[in-house]
Amino acid sequence: MENQEKDLKRFVIEYEDGTVREVKKGFLCTMEPGEDDDVTFTYDMLGISGGELKLLVGGMLRLGMKLGMFGHGEEEE
């Protein structure tokens, strides 16, 4: 994680309609395309404890299962 030396204060989300929402606790994953279909991921966590990170990862796995990404005997796309 790149930003360990900086303490995050908040995430600000701006929607197309101009609505702004401030997040004081959350997780942000950004993706930067690289060469040969490589992707570099950057993770920023704001106010997340170790136990909450475990919940977050479990939730992402459940989302993947709900979307049919795992457990069908098929290779990843």
Side-chain angles (χ1 to χ4, degrees), residues 35-48:
E35 296 180 19
D36 300 323
D37 294 327
D38 281 346
V39 176
T40 299
F41 293 94
T42 302
Y43 308 99
D44 291 291
M45 291 176 270
L46 176 62
I48 302 289

Side-chain angles (χ1 to χ4, degrees), residues 47-65:
I48 302 289
S49 69
E52 290 166 327
L53 183 57
K54 184 177 176 181
L55 290 171
L56 176 70
V57 171
M60 294 305 296
L61 289 171
R62 285 190 299 279
L63 174 62
M65 287 187 266

Side-chain angles (χ1 to χ4, degrees), residues 9-74:
K9 184 176 179 180
R10 63 186 170 166
F11 295 132
V12 177
I13 300 170
E14 183 176 353
Y15 297 92
E16 288 183 353
D17 68 358
T19 305
V20 175
R21 180 170 58 109
E22 182 178 322
V23 178
K24 295 182 182 176
K25 183 174 193 146
F27 177 89
L28 176 67
C29 173
T30 54
M31 300 168 48
E32 184 69 35
E35 296 180 19
D36 300 323
D37 294 327
D38 281 346
V39 176
T40 299
F41 293 94
T42 302
Y43 308 99
D44 291 291
M45 291 176 270
L46 176 62
I48 302 289
S49 69
E52 290 166 327
L53 183 57
K54 184 177 176 181
L55 290 171
L56 176 70
V57 171
M60 294 305 296
L61 289 171
R62 285 190 299 279
L63 174 62
M65 287 187 266
K66 185 175 183 176
L67 295 174
M69 301 173 94
F70 310 116
H72 297 290
E74 301 172 5

